[in-house]
Amino acid sequence: MRKQIAAANWKMNLTYQQGEQLLDDILRAEITLSDDQQAIFAVPFPYLLMAKNELTGSKNYFASAQNCYNKKAGAFTGEVSAEMIQSLGINYCVIGHSERREYFNESNQVLAEKVNLCLDNKITPIFCCGEPLQVREAGTQNSFVEVQLRESLFHLSAEQLQQIVIAYEPIWAIGTGKTATTEQAQEMHAYLRTILADQYGKDIADTISILYGGSVKANNANELFGSPDVDGGLVGGASLIAADFIQIIKSLK
Ligand code: PGA
């Protein structure tokens, strides 16, 4: 079975001490994950080592970065490279979150460069895609998301693609409390799997984890994750509350 993943995206929230406390509280629940399940915590850069140290020893619990720069190294004050992240022993990085695309103008081409740098450094990109409200209202969400995948991922070899986790996050559902319905999520995830199959073959498409993101909560995770093509979630707001994220981890298939 492909990996079922509960991924927390803390964004720019919590102090170091609050983050440490949150991880303590979640780990205290001692949720045992199977070989096919993972809990991943995308924390701010300054907390990566703390999170890694907290999570080490809990099977299939991992820390992740939220972003990296699209250049290998050099005079880019304030930026963080994939190699730096890897040198901390961190093996995941969120790439192309809609907030990065919108506020930092990250294009599909820039994201393709980031994906490449992650893979060069043995980091699994959690690659985000998803349409804004106008596109959903126009009914053209499938082709919109397809272009995001095509321009940022489809240069990869089949072997490289298998290192990628995809997160479908409709922008109109992020932080709005307006979750996509289970049918809308399943429909898009199945569509993404079809285009992956067309490009790379069904066997490969069937191995790729596709997470849903956008107002995943403790009370809807079970139903969302129950869909055949929804392999867990990328969770913002609800990942900041221990009891809620514990429930979300427990909702994994
Ligand atoms: P949300 O955020 O769960 O607060 O909607 C999801 C995300 O942006 O990853």
Side-chain angles (χ1 to χ4, degrees), residues 24-165:
D24 280 346
D25 291 346
I26 291 168
L27 291 173
R28 202 167 317 118
E30 294 188 354
I31 308 164
T32 307
L33 299 177
S34 72
D35 290 344
D36 294 327
Q37 296 173 326
Q38 295 184 341
I40 299 177
F41 296 83
V43 304
F45 288 129
Y47 308 170
L48 276 171
L49 262 194
M50 174 276 283
K52 185 192 163 208
N53 291 337
E54 286 272 329
L55 299 167
T56 297
S58 298
K59 182 185 153 195
N60 288 348
Y61 285 72
F62 304 105
S64 169
Q66 297 179 5
N67 178 38
C68 67
Y69 198 50
N70 64 318
K71 298 277 184 291
K72 219 167 135 70
F76 303 106
T77 302
E79 293 298 333
V80 174
S81 71
E83 186 182 29
M84 291 173 183
I85 295 166
Q86 176 52 238
S87 70
L88 298 174
I90 302 294
N91 299 309
Y92 292 89
C93 184
V94 177
I95 295 291
H97 190 279
S98 61
E99 288 148 19
R100 302 289 323 170
R101 293 175 185 264
E102 185 179 348
Y103 306 138
F104 302 94
N105 296 321
E106 295 189 357
S107 65
N108 294 339
Q109 287 67 31
V110 162
L111 298 176
E113 293 167 10
K114 293 189 180 198
V115 165
N116 291 344
L117 285 164
C118 283
L119 294 175
D120 288 349
N121 286 285
K122 309 229 171 336
I123 292 171
T124 294
I126 301 173
F127 178 81
C128 302
C129 57
E131 80 286 357
L133 185 61
Q134 328 69 286
V135 169
R136 171 62 65 164
E137 284 175 348
T140 51
Q141 65 272 11
N142 286 6
S143 54
F144 184 92
V145 177
E146 179 172 349
V147 169
Q148 291 180 322
L149 257 55
R150 213 165 267 294
E151 294 188 353
S152 297
L153 297 183
F154 281 11
H155 62 286
L156 300 174
S157 68
E159 197 189 326
Q160 287 174 316
L161 186 86
Q162 287 178 285
Q163 310 305 311
I164 307 270
V165 170

Side-chain angles (χ1 to χ4, degrees), residues 9 11 97 99 169 173-176 213-217 234-238:
N9 178 10
K11 309 189 180 184
H97 190 279
E99 288 148 19
E169 300 203 305
I174 295 177
T176 58
S215 298
V216 175
K217 304 290 175 202
L234 179 58
V235 187

